[in-house]
Amino acid sequence: MDDIAALRARTMTVLQAAADDQDAAVADTLHAALAAGPTAAAASAVAAGLLRQGHAELARDWLATALGLEPDCLSALLLRASCEILQGEPSRAIATYGHIIDRHPSDIEACIELGTLLTNARDWEGALRATQLGLARRPGTAALCARRIDLLLRLERDDDALQFLRTLPPAVCADPAMAHARVSLLNRSGQFDAARQVLDASVADTVALRTFDLRLINQWLTSCLSGAQGLAHFPAQVARFSAHLSDDRRYQGLLAAYAMIGAWLHADRAEVVRIAELHADFADMADIDEDRAMRVFYRYLRQLAAACPATAADASRPLALLHVIGESHSLSPGNTVFAWQGRQVQARSRFIMGIQMHHLAQAGQNTYKQHLQSHLDAIGEGALLLTMGEIDCRPVEGMWRAAQRGHGPLDALIGSTVAGYLAFLDQALRQRPWPSITLQGVPAPGYDLTDRRDPGDKRGFLDMIDSVNTLLKAGAQERHWHFLDVHGATAGQDRLGNGRWHLDRFHLAPAFYQQAGHWLLQAPRPAGGDGAPT
C-alpha cells in the first residue's frame, strides 16, 4: 500500500505540473479508480490514461502495479501486449497474447491481435490457428473470416478457402471487411470478371465512405499497375486515394511507393526522386504485413533513381527497343541505354507485380497470365527480356518453402515449375516472330542466409538456385533463345552475392546492364536456318 501511495503522489505531481486538460482528466481517472481502494483494473485504467498522454515511464509503473495485484488481470495483460508492440518487441507481445488466450479463453481481441502479429512475422500456420480460435469464440466475424481465407490462400490451400467461403452467410460475405478476401479467392479460382466487379464496387464504396483497407488498396493499385492498359491512368488512381488520406503518413507512404513505380515506368526519374524526398519516413515505419512489400519498393525505387546512369545514345546508330517483362527485377534496366546483341537498345520495363514462374506454370488462366498477355499484345516492335524466377527461389517463399510444406520433393518442384514456365512461354510467344528472346537467370542471393532467411540446409538451397539456372539455360538453348547468366555475374566462391552488381539484397544495379554482354549467352544457330533468333 505504501508503494502505491508513493506512486500515486508521484503521478499527481507530474499531472499537476503538466497543466493540460487531458492530463487533468487522467488525474480524475486516478482519483475515481482508486477511491474504493487499489485494484488491478483501477491501476490498469490509470496506466492506459498515462500512456495515452505520453507518460510512458509512469504508465509502466502502474502496469507493473496492476499485474502485481492480479497477474492475470485481462485489461492489464492487453495493455502490456500493446506496450510491447509499441516498444518494438513483437515476440514478447506474441507470448503475452498467448498467455491471455490460455487464461481468458473467451477474449476475442487477443485472438485478433495474435493473428495480426503472427501474420506480420510470416508465421501463416500460427496466424491461422489464432484466427480459428477467434472464429470458434465468435463465428461469423467478417474480419476473421477474411483473414482465414487470406491465410489459407497463402498456404496454397485454395480448395479449403473456397469451401469456407461457401459456408458463410450472405451477410458476412457482403461485409466490406470481406472484400479483399473475396477478390483474391475469385481470382485464384479463375472467376476474373466476378473478381473485378467486386473490386470495382468495393473501391467505389471505400472512397465514398472513407473506410480504407490497405489490402483492398493494394489489390486495386496492383491491378492497375500490372496490366499494359492501366498505366496511362495510374497517377489519377493514386491521386483518388491520396486526396482522402492526407493525414495518415502510412497510407500516404504506401501510395507514394506505388506512385514511384508508376513514375519509373513513365521514365520520370525526377518525379521518383521528388516523391521519395516527400515520404522519407515511410521506409522506417514499424513493420506490418499490409505494406511490407511497398516499403521494399520505396527503398528500391529510391536507390534506382540515385543509381540510374545518364547514358547518352549514339545518334549514329538508331535505338531498338528491349521490352523487359517481369516483376521488380524488370525495373532495374528500365529507361537505360546499353549495348545488347550487337546494337544499342532502350530498355522499357513492363512490370507485373509479384509474377513468378510458378504462376505461369499453373494449369488454367490466372491474373498473372492475363497481365503478361496484355503486355505482349501491346508491344509493337522490339526484343524481349524475361526476368521471372528470383521470387521462386527465395528461402521464405517459392519452391523452397513449398517443399518444406510438403507440396512435393524439391527436385520435382524445380523440374515442374521450370518446365511449366517454358511451356507457357512456348504458347504465348508463338503468335508472332520476335527479333530476339532472352531469359534472365536467377542471381546469387544478395542477402545473408541467417535469421528468418536461414533455409536450414544452406547447401541444398544454393543447389536449388543452381538447378533452376541450369534448366533455364538449357531451355533457352533448346528454343534458340538467349540466356543472361546473372548468377555467373553475381556469385562469389561461396555462391552468395559477390557485392559487385547488387543494388540491394535482391535486385541488380542498372550499371550491370551496361556490362551485361559479358554474361549474355547467344542463341545457338538453328540447323539449316539463317541464325536469326526467335
Side-chain angles (χ1 to χ4, degrees):
M1 290 296 184
D2 290 340
D3 289 343
I4 295 176
L7 179 57
R8 176 178 180 175
R10 181 157 58 91
T11 303
M12 290 304 301
T13 299
V14 171
L15 295 176
Q16 289 169 353
D20 179 280
D21 288 344
Q22 291 182 336
D23 278 326
V26 176
D28 291 341
T29 300
L30 175 61
H31 286 304
L34 301 181
T39 65
S44 178
V46 173
L50 290 166
L51 190 64
R52 285 193 297 270
Q53 286 303 100
H55 303 301
E57 184 177 350
L58 276 173
R60 284 194 294 270
D61 290 342
W62 277 104
L63 183 56
T65 298
L67 292 170
L69 291 167
E70 185 183 337
D72 292 330
C73 174
L74 177 59
S75 60
L77 288 171
L78 290 170
L79 184 59
R80 184 175 79 181
S82 298
C83 290
E84 288 164 345
I85 294 171
L86 291 173
Q87 292 164 1
E89 298 177 318
S91 60
R92 294 184 63 182
I94 287 171
T96 298
Y97 281 124
H99 178 74
I100 293 171
I101 291 170
D102 287 340
R103 299 294 182 174
H104 302 276
S106 63
D107 185 70
I108 189 72
E109 181 182 344
C111 296
I112 294 172
E113 295 300 329
L114 180 59
T116 298
L117 288 172
L118 292 171
T119 300
N120 288 342
R122 290 190 172 94
D123 181 357
W124 315 133
E125 290 91 348
L128 181 60
R129 288 192 295 271
T131 301
Q132 291 177 162
L133 282 174
L135 284 170
R137 289 157 171 75
R138 194 178 296 173
T141 303
L144 289 173
C145 293
R147 177 175 286 167
R148 186 168 192 266
I149 290 172
D150 177 64
L151 290 166
L152 288 170
L153 293 178
R154 288 174 187 259
L155 292 167
E156 299 185 6
R157 293 171 54 184
D158 296 20
D159 291 342
D160 290 340
L162 185 59
Q163 181 60 35
F164 176 65
L165 179 65
R166 289 170 176 162
T167 67
L168 297 178
V172 175
C173 291
D175 192 291
M178 282 287 296
H180 73 276
R182 291 175 60 207
V183 171
S184 296
L185 189 51
L186 288 167
N187 275 326
R188 290 278 279 269
S189 60
Q191 301 177 61
F192 305 117
D193 291 341
R196 189 69 198 193
Q197 290 173 5
V198 173
L199 184 57
D200 288 349
S202 299
V203 168
D205 289 343
T206 199
V207 171
L209 301 175
R210 302 186 67 177
T211 54
F212 292 95
D213 183 328
L214 282 175
R215 292 160 295 189
L216 193 64
I217 292 175
N218 279 327
Q219 284 178 321
W220 176 260
L221 294 180
T222 292
S223 176
C224 293
L225 197 61
S226 297
Q229 308 306 319
L231 189 59
H233 305 291
F234 188 70
Q237 300 292 350
V238 174
R240 178 166 69 146
F241 289 116
S242 184
H244 295 280
L245 297 167
S246 58
D247 296 330
D248 191 306
R249 292 300 298 169
R250 185 178 288 277
Y251 276 105
Q252 286 293 326
L254 174 83
L255 296 174
Y258 277 107
M260 289 166 71
I261 299 173
W264 188 257
L265 294 174
H266 279 115
D268 193 344
R269 176 183 175 277
E271 179 66 1
V272 174
V273 173
R274 186 191 71 82
I275 296 170
E277 290 175 348
L278 289 174
H279 298 275
D281 57 333
F282 180 58
D284 299 321
M285 286 185 176
D287 185 51
I288 65 170
D289 183 67
E290 286 86 349
D291 67 11
R292 177 183 293 126
M294 296 317 297
R295 279 181 286 110
V296 173
F297 270 106
Y298 169 86
R299 290 188 288 265
Y300 174 36
L301 269 295
R302 184 175 61 184
Q303 290 175 281
L304 266 184
C308 187
T311 307
D314 182 350
S316 66
R317 304 180 68 185
L319 292 177
L321 285 175
L322 176 65
H323 299 276
V324 188
I325 304 178
E327 20 68 303
S328 56
H329 290 270
S330 71
L331 300 176
S332 286
N335 312 320
T336 61
V337 175
F338 49 88
W340 186 258
Q341 298 170 9
R343 64 187 304 183
Q344 281 191 313
V345 295
Q346 171 80 55
R348 177 177 179 184
S349 301
R350 290 187 169 273
F351 173 74
I352 304 169
M353 180 77 79
I355 190 170
Q356 301 176 40
M357 291 190 300
H358 91 88
H359 294 137
L360 302 180
Q362 291 171 352
Q365 270 292 352
N366 59 47
T367 54
Y368 298 99
K369 293 180 179 181
Q370 289 187 327
H371 288 319
L372 192 148
Q373 189 62 55
S374 75
H375 284 289
L376 294 176
D377 292 343
I379 293 173
E381 61 179 19
L384 297 182
L385 171 61
L386 302 162
T387 67
M388 284 77 82
E390 188 273 328
I391 300 178
D392 294 273
C393 296
R394 291 180 181 174
V396 297
E397 53 192 315
M399 294 179 288
W400 187 259
R401 182 54 65 89
Q404 290 180 326
R405 288 174 175 157
H407 293 292
L410 181 59
D411 287 345
L413 289 171
I414 294 170
S416 62
T417 298
V418 177
Y421 169 56
L422 293 171
F424 171 81
L425 293 179
D426 287 338
Q427 294 296 319
L429 300 179
R430 68 169 35 172
Q431 306 303 320
R432 54 179 283 190
W434 299 93
S436 73
I437 299 168
T438 303
L439 299 184
Q440 178 169 298
V442 177
Y447 44 84
D448 293 329
L449 300 181
T450 57
D451 299 326
R452 73 176 187 85
R453 293 191 180 89
D454 185 348
D457 178 5
K458 296 180 182 180
R459 180 175 179 178
F461 174 73
L462 295 172
D463 286 346
M464 175 192 69
I465 296 176
D466 289 344
S467 296
V468 169
N469 280 308
T470 297
L471 291 173
L472 287 174
K473 177 183 174 181
Q477 290 180 323
E478 179 184 342
R479 291 160 174 78
H480 306 290
W481 298 347
H482 305 287
F483 179 71
L484 183 57
D485 183 14
V486 294
H487 190 268
T490 58
Q493 290 186 347
D494 59 0
R495 295 190 288 174
L496 297 176
N498 57 25
R500 293 186 61 195
W501 298 116
H502 275 92
L503 182 69
D504 59 19
R505 293 175 296 185
F506 304 101
H507 304 100
L508 300 178
F512 166 76
Y513 292 91
Q514 304 301 315
Q515 306 294 327
H518 294 298
W519 293 280
L520 183 63
L521 305 182
Q522 299 290 335
R525 292 174 178 270
D530 60 5
T534 59

